[in-house]
Amino acid sequence: MVQIKERIGIREYIAIVLIMTSTKLTDNTPVLLFEPLYNAGWMAPVINSILSIIPH
């Protein structure tokens, strides 16, 4: 059997980096959550992580 080694090209690498950085730069979810929650803002990531673990 012949194994083909596939590598990620520069275009694919740049696309992945742009997608990862653009989602981090444009995500304003913490701002939307912490303004109305004030002191209970620390609970939002905890509840979100618990809900994401539970299967739908």
Side-chain angles (χ1 to χ4, degrees):
M1 296 186 92
V2 178
Q3 291 183 350
I4 300 173
K5 293 184 179 180
E6 294 184 24
R7 293 186 177 180
I8 294 180
I10 190 71
R11 290 183 184 175
E12 290 86 2
Y13 181 73
I14 290 174
I16 292 170
V17 169
L18 286 176
I19 290 171
M20 290 174 59
T21 55
S22 64
T23 56
K24 294 292 182 187
L25 292 175
T26 59
D27 185 23
N28 61 356
T29 305
V31 174
L32 296 173
L33 288 176
F34 281 95
E35 284 181 0
L37 294 177
Y38 298 114
N39 288 339
W42 64 272
M43 293 176 65
V46 173
I47 294 171
N48 190 14
S49 61
I50 291 171
L51 291 177
S52 65
I53 293 172
I54 298 172
H56 297 300

